[in-house]
Amino acid sequence: MWVIVPVLYRLCRLTWASKFSLQRDEQMRRGMQMKQEIKGMWYGFAGVAIFSLTLPFTHMAVQALDPLFVGFGRGALAGLLAPVVLWYLKAPLPSRGQWWPLLIIGLSVGFGFPVFSSIAMHSAPASHGAIVLGLLPLATALV
């Protein structure tokens, strides 16, 4: 009898402690999840803010430099930085079937967009380009 009471006491105490620990862990997990969401929102805000400056700075650059030089320079800089970031993040290599779509997207986004936007900013105001860029996500969603 004297042996069973301490064992039951310890068992009840462990059950209560584990329940409290699980509640505390759940609260910590929710708090960390909220912090991750806030962090993601700030990263999204920073990305949108930086992207919104693309056309004004391109417009300023093409006033002094050749539009093709600006466009290909932006693509080349992105092409030089991307492997470094992928190496740092230890990203796995794409599978064999992913190379062709990646090449098409890479050429379109890495060179097509910068070159064509540079040519456009040479002859059009940045505000006109901003309207087109603002409509691109809508057009993508509709297609």
Side-chain angles (χ1 to χ4, degrees), residues 8-134:
L8 288 175
Y9 173 74
R10 286 184 185 160
L11 185 62
C12 290
R13 194 177 72 179
L14 285 174
T15 304
W16 179 79
S18 66
K19 183 178 177 184
F20 178 73
S21 175
L22 288 175
Q23 289 174 350
R24 189 183 62 215
D25 289 347
E26 180 67 22
Q27 288 173 349
M28 288 177 61
R29 187 181 64 76
R30 284 187 198 156
M32 290 175 66
Q33 184 178 5
M34 185 61 75
K35 287 180 184 176
Q36 291 289 3
E37 284 183 26
I38 292 171
K39 188 178 180 181
M41 290 291 202
W42 279 110
Y43 282 152
F45 176 75
V48 169
I50 291 169
F51 187 72
S52 69
L53 297 173
T54 297
L55 293 181
F57 279 108
T58 302
H59 187 71
M60 289 189 305
V62 296
Q63 299 304 316
L65 301 169
D66 182 45
L68 291 176
F69 178 76
V70 172
F72 282 116
R74 286 176 56 193
L77 182 64
L80 290 174
L81 290 178
V84 174
V85 171
L86 292 173
W87 173 80
Y88 178 76
L89 295 175
K90 295 177 178 51
L93 286 174
S95 67
R96 187 177 186 92
Q98 293 173 332
W99 281 103
W100 183 247
L102 278 175
L103 178 68
I104 293 170
I105 296 296
L107 289 174
S108 300
V109 173
F111 288 100
F113 177 78
V115 169
F116 291 133
S117 64
S118 296
I119 293 170
M121 289 300 98
H122 186 65
S123 59
S127 59
H128 292 189
I131 292 171
V132 173
L133 278 187

